[in-house]
Amino acid sequence: SSMTMSSRLRIEVIEVPAYMLPDEGAKAIDLAADTNMAVLGLNHIALDVSAAASRLGGLPGYLRELNRESEVVFQKSVRLVRSPYQQLIGPEVWEVCFIADPDGASIELLAHNGTLTSPVADDW
């Protein structure tokens, strides 16, 4: 395989308070629905693919290579749930996208794009 794992790993753990769930015992919100992208409690795992993405021209290049390898190894294309977009996490600029595994579980892929040198206003 031409892609290698980064020595950095980022895992996000989010606890959703019971009062935020629609029904008692309900699961986290379906990430595949566009209307739910900005809602707390999306059920997913996040992987930092910065090292590999930087060698492949960013997250779009990483996705092309991931899809190519998936088609060769599994004869299946990667299911893209949300195309790459930029997101600020504190002063850090990330490229973010979501894919789904064969069972439909959401996987967030993150690639670090840089760090802001000027502070960002809280209400930005």
Side-chain angles (χ1 to χ4, degrees), residues 41-122:
L42 300 176
N43 188 16
H44 71 284
I45 185 168
L47 302 173
D48 182 347
V49 297
S50 298
S54 69
R55 290 190 304 276
L56 297 166
L59 204 49
Y62 179 86
L63 287 170
R64 281 190 297 276
E65 180 62 16
L66 181 66
N67 192 62
R68 186 194 69 73
E69 288 194 23
S70 179
E71 288 175 345
V72 167
V73 175
F74 304 109
Q75 293 75 48
K76 294 190 183 272
S77 296
V78 172
R79 187 173 135 220
L80 185 63
V81 175
R82 178 135 190 223
S83 297
Y85 62 96
Q86 283 197 342
Q87 179 177 344
L88 281 177
I89 302 174
E92 308 301 323
V93 181
W94 294 85
E95 240 181 332
V96 179
C97 76
F98 288 86
I99 60 174
D101 77 2
D103 295 324
S106 297
I107 302 167
E108 178 182 16
L109 301 177
L110 299 112
H112 189 254
N113 277 359
T115 302
L116 298 178
T117 56
S118 299
V120 176
D122 289 340

